Amino acid sequence: MAQRVNHLMFINGRMTQRRLAGLIGVAAPTVAVKMTGRNRWSLDDLVSLCEVFGVSPNYMLGLEPIESAAPQKSIAPAARATGAMTLVAGAVSSFRT
């Protein structure tokens, strides 16, 4: 999944890991270790990445061509970064306060 994240960061203005971390609501070192493969991306991370980059879980999991992603006109923080999140592609949802 790190290859997909790296591609999305590149096509969206060569986004830094620090900026991505802020958008998905994690610490910058967390993104760094996940990008190198030392830690795995969680389901929460997957949902947040999909929200931030406007892609589907299928894209992030490699089930759609990497070229199918398009740059976002504006990037907003994922709901997780603000406290709430929902994954519509299935019955997974949660609310955090």
Side-chain angles (χ1 to χ4, degrees):
M1 206 162 85
Q3 179 185 18
R4 299 287 170 133
V5 174
N6 191 46
H7 176 72
L8 291 166
M9 291 170 60
F10 180 79
I11 67 170
N12 284 285
R14 297 181 184 210
M15 182 184 294
T16 64
Q17 290 181 1
R18 182 180 305 275
R19 171 130 164 79
L20 177 61
L23 291 169
I24 65 172
V26 300
T30 301
V31 170
V33 297
K34 290 180 181 199
M35 292 295 288
T36 61
R38 291 194 319 247
N39 284 14
R40 293 184 183 189
W41 297 93
S42 70
L43 180 59
D44 287 347
D45 296 332
L46 173 67
V47 171
S48 295
L49 290 166
C50 291
E51 289 177 5
V52 167
F53 291 118
V55 296
S56 72
N58 284 344
Y59 174 85
M60 293 305 300
L61 297 172
L63 301 174
E64 296 174 5
I66 198 165
E67 305 83 25
S68 65
Q72 297 296 297
K73 292 182 181 175
S74 66
I75 295 185
R80 172 170 128 182
T82 61
M85 109 178 125
T86 302
L87 175 61
V88 179
V92 178
S93 67
S94 66
F95 180 77
R96 295 184 183 154
T97 56

